[in-house]
Amino acid sequence: MSNFEKLAEAVYQGDDLEVKTITQGMIAAGVKPMEIVSKGLLAGMDIVAPKFKAGEMFIPEVMMSAKALSEGLSIVKPLLSAEDSANVSTFVMGTVKGDLHDIGKNLVVMLLESGGFNVVDLGVDVTPEAFVEAIKEHKPRIVGMCALLTTTMMAMQDTIDAITEAGLRDKVKVLVGGAPLYPEFAEKIGADGYCVDAVSCKEMSAKIVANN
Ligand code: B1M
């Protein structure tokens, strides 16, 4: 078994101590931080997701995997963040009202920070009003929303409506992401872009900043 496979297995098993040990070992051995994330830590969540869907894993086990993933990400994050510190555009990010999923959002936040964005992470279950308040307070160039449930996707529309009603829509670009979304949905609710994954979100955000 390669070290990447061992790391993925440790995430799947929810073994945060093992995740910490392997991640630190790989960093010491000079493995690229982004490879540790994609080939090890996220590969572990790729084992978890279908098992949860098939009813072969239950919520407490998934939570342990998520905790183990976070342990690894927290070690790798400072190394990614050193990539580019010149860009200081502000990005407000949150998982929408009614939705508690944050693994994907946290990954997006981490990559944006590695791209030099000053990210204001509002957390999960963020109401449209809280997004509006955050835009007033932090004056971001971009607002990002995450939804993982089909039942919370429409909270994105509510949030965009609230931003428009507050007279702030032309001040920000709105990007959306999350597993159940698709480009036509983003267009229908009036978002400026749909991000299929964290990397595309980082690239799209960099383009938005570069074009201003
Ligand atoms: Co939940 N859950 N969950 N869950 N959960 C899903 C989403 C589900 C598809 C599983 C299933 O049944 N097949 C299903 C939704 C079904 C639907 O709506 N059609 C589901 C359900 C039903 C539920 C509950 C209702 C279960 C229950 O209680 N009966 C409940 C809801 C709680 C709530 O939110 N109110 C619930 C709870 C949970 C846990 C707490 C156990 C846990 C969340 C832990 C946490 O986040 N801290 C959990 C998990 C882990 C999952 C699955 C297994 C994995 C999600 C994940 O983290 N993926 C998920 C199954 C699946 O997605 N296949 C599932 C890894 C992550 C890296 O991917 O989030 O897609 P993702 O993020 C990607 C991209 O989408 C994109 O970039 C990321 C990285 O590349 N992206 C963005 C994401 N957000 C972005 C924002 C952006 C840009 C890009 O902004 C611009």
Side-chain angles (χ1 to χ4, degrees), residues 45-204:
M45 281 315 285
D46 286 344
I47 306 172
V48 172
K51 286 191 182 290
F52 183 58
K53 190 173 180 183
E56 292 166 17
M57 278 181 88
F58 299 99
I59 289 175
E61 295 162 308
V62 175
M63 293 299 287
M64 284 177 71
S65 296
K67 187 167 172 281
L69 172 76
S70 300
E71 179 71 42
L73 289 178
S74 70
I75 299 168
V76 173
K77 188 175 161 181
L79 303 173
L80 289 172
S81 298
E83 213 179 86
D84 173 6
S85 57
N87 181 343
V88 286
S89 288
T90 299
F91 191 119
V92 161
M93 168 65 96
T95 298
V96 295
K97 186 179 172 186
D99 202 317
L100 302 177
H101 294 86
D102 69 356
I103 297 172
K105 170 188 71 65
N106 292 346
L107 186 66
V108 175
V109 167
M110 195 179 74
L111 280 204
L112 287 170
E113 285 176 342
S114 80
F117 281 88
N118 165 36
V119 183
V120 179
D121 184 355
L122 304 178
V124 297
D125 193 15
V126 182
T127 62
E129 297 74 27
F131 272 106
V132 168
E133 283 313 307
I135 295 170
K136 285 181 185 163
E137 182 181 349
H138 301 287
K139 302 186 174 41
R141 184 71 201 91
I142 309 172
V143 174
M145 285 187 266
C146 168
L148 262 283
L149 299 171
T150 46
T151 48
T152 57
M153 284 165 67
M154 285 318 289
M156 292 180 155
Q157 174 83 74
D158 297 341
T159 305
I160 291 177
D161 289 349
I163 294 171
T164 306
E165 279 158 28
L168 298 167
R169 185 64 187 90
D170 60 341
K171 305 261 186 278
V172 292
K173 293 285 182 195
V174 176
L175 299 181
V176 293
L181 273 63
Y182 45 95
E184 294 78 10
F185 174 78
E187 200 178 327
K188 189 176 145 221
I189 63 171
D192 295 298
Y194 159 71
C195 312
V196 67
D197 57 21
V199 173
S200 76
C201 184
K202 180 179 165 179
E203 289 171 355
M204 223 179 262

